[in-house]
Amino acid sequence: MKKIKDILYKVEIQSIVGSTDATIDHLTFDSRQVKSNTLFIAIVGEVVDGHAYIKQAIEQGATAIVCQVLPSDLIEGVVYVVVEDSNRALALIAANFYDNPSHKLKLVGVTGTNGKTTIATLLYNMFTSLGYKVGLLSTVNIRIGAALYETSHTTPDSITINAYLNQMAEEGCEFCFMEVSSHGVVQHRTFGLHFEGGIFTNLTHDHLDYHKTFAAYRDAKKMFFDQLGKTSFALTNLDDKNGPIMVQNTKAKVCTYALKNMADYKGQILESQFSGMLMKINQQELWVQLIGAFNASNLLAVLGATVELGVLQEEALVHLSKLASVEGRFQYIVSSKQVTAIVDYAHTPDALANVIATINSIRTNNEQLITVVGCGGNRDKTKRPEMGKIASDLSNRVIFTSDNPRFEEPAAILEDIEAGVEPQNKMKTVVVEDRKQAIKLACQQATAGDIILIAGKGHETYQEIKGVRSHFSDLEIVKEFLEL
């Protein structure tokens, strides 16, 4: 139970009707979740405007309403708070309701196009290995110590974030590592949180269906660093041209990592195999269990954040060498017939190019690379031909297939992908709309020594078609057809 006036701390209020000395027991912005003595926040969304559900919320037991526009019919006994921006208000109200849990542990946010899940998860594993109790908020799952919870968004809503952070603090977590999406920043889901540090991975082609322009997408990422405080650190990737831009206006301590440029955390790949890499990091050589330049970069980010959080570099390097790959990120298996299958989440042109380049840098070219790839529906269409071109340019054979078509027709998505294939590469591509059959065909075509890359879904255990999610795991399917 909280007094309304206490949870309105720092909220930009335009007017109030009723007494803020009243108390509430619950928060929600979803009218379906309203129960007795709830504060309902009316969010102006892209598709739905919560103001249309104020009356319904009150009928279900809401005793306080936060809105941008005061309803014409005011109900006696209900408190109305008019704010400038209900999304920002929601973030602050949620933080206040849960007693600002982000101040009770060290919260680190990871943002960028690719690598967010890997870095956040590796940091969770690193600090768990170091003996700390740690929390994780990622695309794949939410963890509080060893306990595991499912998630549906890269960056959850403000109430969910603060509820989990509160649970983490109450259960003794000292650190939390969190993916921060561009959507989450623009929609102010992370507003009002105290971040001990922020990490920038890279910026490539993605989410232009939402942000419309690359500049808007870049600025959404940059906003996260603009909001960091002077006691925080901002760790940025100097190998990405946007790396320096991210930290231009930040108040935080700026530190850097890079493979190609001089940086605070400088790395170099000396040797690569499918089992790992020999790296030189800040003049020290060590063997790591991950492979690929993108993972080398991710490991530098992990090391940098670990040291900035107070761990000695020598100790951090020891634990860095023990880290294994993250589920669905360059996860590979080898069949009894010596066929290697790699499952990876690569769903952007840059990520796909990085994964294939890594495979091609290790293989001897006496074997085939068979790539199975698709693109999601109702998402950025402009990357589809790019994905088709990259896959067909860099692979021996390509099978284009469905990813999560959502509400689009799979055939239309596949046509967009095929449009990027150069004429000389058309003979090595085939379209198999059914993803299971596409993976089966790849397994049938592969002979000893060949490599199958199944890209796009990675850790996901579902396929979404016409609004229905059905169980589907690339890893399970390829194991079935390789008879593992």
Side-chain angles (χ1 to χ4, degrees):
M1 185 179 291
K2 297 278 184 179
K3 281 193 175 183
I4 295 171
K5 66 180 181 183
D6 293 333
I7 63 172
L8 291 177
Y9 179 60
K10 289 188 176 179
V11 174
E12 296 168 334
I13 299 169
Q14 294 188 328
S15 63
I16 297 173
V17 177
S19 173
T20 56
D21 281 323
T23 60
I24 56 101
D25 297 320
H26 309 284
L27 294 180
T28 189
F29 57 90
D30 184 343
S31 60
R32 295 166 297 182
Q33 296 178 5
V34 172
K35 49 189 173 182
S36 177
N37 212 26
T38 292
L39 183 146
F40 174 70
I41 301 99
I43 299 294
V44 181
E46 287 185 81
V47 179
V48 178
D49 186 346
H51 288 76
Y53 297 91
I54 290 175
K55 184 179 179 183
Q56 178 186 328
I58 293 170
E59 288 171 353
Q60 291 178 210
T63 54
I65 304 293
V66 171
C67 53
Q68 290 179 202
V69 179
L70 197 64
S72 54
D73 297 326
L74 301 182
I75 308 299
E76 191 175 345
V78 175
V79 181
Y80 297 88
V81 180
V82 181
V83 297
E84 187 175 328
D85 186 318
S86 53
N87 275 299
R88 286 166 67 97
L90 171 63
L92 292 171
I93 288 168
N96 291 331
F97 184 81
Y98 287 103
D99 298 320
N100 292 289
S102 63
H103 289 269
K104 298 175 184 177
L105 41 68
K106 291 182 177 179
L107 176 64
V108 175
V110 187
T111 196
T113 306
N114 302 312
K116 295 189 296 297
T117 301
T118 297
I119 291 171
T121 306
L122 289 176
L123 279 165
Y124 167 87
N125 293 338
M126 167 74 90
F127 277 80
T128 300
S129 173
L130 285 162
Y132 295 99
K133 189 165 185 181
V134 189
L136 173 69
L137 292 168
S138 84
T139 303
V140 180
N141 53 50
I142 292 169
R143 289 183 179 271
I144 301 176
L148 183 64
Y149 305 84
E150 288 189 5
T151 183
S152 58
H153 293 86
T154 302
T155 307
D157 65 81
S158 301
I159 297 173
T160 302
I161 291 171
N162 281 280
Y164 275 119
L165 289 177
N166 182 56
Q167 189 178 340
M168 289 174 191
E170 286 183 346
E171 294 187 20
C173 290
E174 295 182 58
F175 299 90
C176 175
F177 301 101
M178 172 182 176
E179 290 186 52
V180 177
S181 69
S182 53
H183 295 68
V185 174
V186 169
Q187 295 168 8
H188 304 296
R189 293 182 224 158
T190 57
F191 186 69
L193 296 178
H194 172 71
F195 285 92
E196 189 75 15
I199 302 169
F200 171 70
T201 64
N202 49 64
L203 203 65
T204 63
H205 198 149
D206 203 13
H207 299 306
L208 298 194
D209 54 311
Y210 178 82
H211 295 287
K212 307 306 180 191
T213 67
F214 189 82
Y217 178 44
R218 179 198 64 212
D219 291 346
K221 298 289 189 188
K222 184 178 181 298
M223 194 188 305
F224 171 65
F225 294 94
D226 292 347
Q227 293 172 355
L228 291 177
K230 60 183 180 181
T231 61
S232 307
F233 68 84
L235 177 61
T236 194
N237 180 7
L238 288 187
D239 290 335
D240 188 291
K241 64 182 180 182
N242 294 288
I245 295 172
M246 289 294 133
V247 294
Q248 275 178 351
N249 302 320
T250 188
K251 301 181 190 73
K253 172 193 173 185
V254 174
C255 35
T256 59
Y257 67 97
L259 290 168
K260 301 173 185 174
N261 296 286
M262 291 305 298
D264 298 314
Y265 301 95
K266 165 72 175 169
Q268 180 185 358
I269 300 171
L270 303 177
E271 181 187 328
S272 288
Q273 300 173 13
F274 275 122
S275 58
M277 298 181 288
L278 180 64
M279 289 187 68
K280 181 186 279 188
I281 299 178
N282 285 359
Q283 301 306 313
Q284 295 192 49
E285 289 188 14
L286 77 158
W287 182 263
V288 295
Q289 297 178 42
L290 283 71
I291 68 169
F294 57 97
N295 270 327
S297 184
N298 291 339
L299 287 169
L300 291 175
V302 171
L303 175 67
T306 302
V307 174
E308 295 303 323
L309 288 169
V311 178
L312 291 174
Q313 181 171 293
E314 291 74 16
E315 186 179 9
L317 286 170
V318 170
H319 288 271
L320 197 75
S321 68
K322 299 175 184 176
L323 294 175
S325 62
V326 174
E327 181 186 2
R329 269 64 177 179
F330 215 98
Q331 191 172 4
Y332 76 95
I333 55 172
V334 182
S335 76
S336 58
K337 296 177 181 177
Q338 296 305 300
V339 173
T340 299
I342 298 166
V343 173
D344 194 271
Y345 188 54
H347 62 286
T348 66
D350 186 67
L352 184 64
N354 284 336
V355 170
I356 298 179
T358 296
I359 295 168
N360 286 339
S361 70
I362 296 171
R363 71 191 184 105
T364 63
N365 291 326
N366 293 323
E367 62 282 284
Q368 293 187 101
L369 170 59
I370 305 168
T371 298
V372 180
V373 66
C375 290
N378 303 107
R379 295 294 188 269
D380 183 3
K381 293 183 179 183
T382 59
K383 69 181 181 184
R384 292 174 186 172
E386 286 188 58
M387 300 275 281
K389 175 173 169 50
I390 289 164
S392 57
D393 280 351
L394 303 178
S395 310
N396 299 102
R397 296 189 189 183
V398 183
I399 303 168
F400 295 126
T401 189
S402 282
D403 190 307
N404 291 317
R406 299 183 177 89
F407 289 97
E408 275 196 76
E409 289 301 323
I413 298 171
L414 290 164
E415 277 184 26
D416 289 343
I417 298 171
E418 283 189 286
V421 179
E422 300 283 354
Q424 68 270 21
N425 290 328
K426 289 190 182 295
M427 288 294 289
K428 60 181 179 181
T429 68
V430 65
V431 173
V432 179
E433 186 177 305
D434 184 289
R435 192 173 182 90
K436 184 172 183 177
Q437 293 304 312
I439 295 170
K440 180 180 180 180
L441 177 61
C443 293
Q444 289 172 336
Q445 290 181 342
T447 57
D450 288 349
I451 301 160
I452 301 169
L453 170 63
I454 307 169
K457 290 175 61 57
H459 64 281
E460 292 178 352
T461 55
Y462 64 86
Q463 189 170 34
E464 187 176 339
I465 302 172
K466 301 295 182 186
V468 177
R469 286 192 175 193
S470 304
H471 179 77
F472 194 100
S473 163
D474 284 350
L475 192 63
E476 288 175 12
I477 299 296
V478 75
K479 281 182 176 180
E480 176 188 335
F481 290 124
L482 288 179
E483 298 176 351
L484 291 176

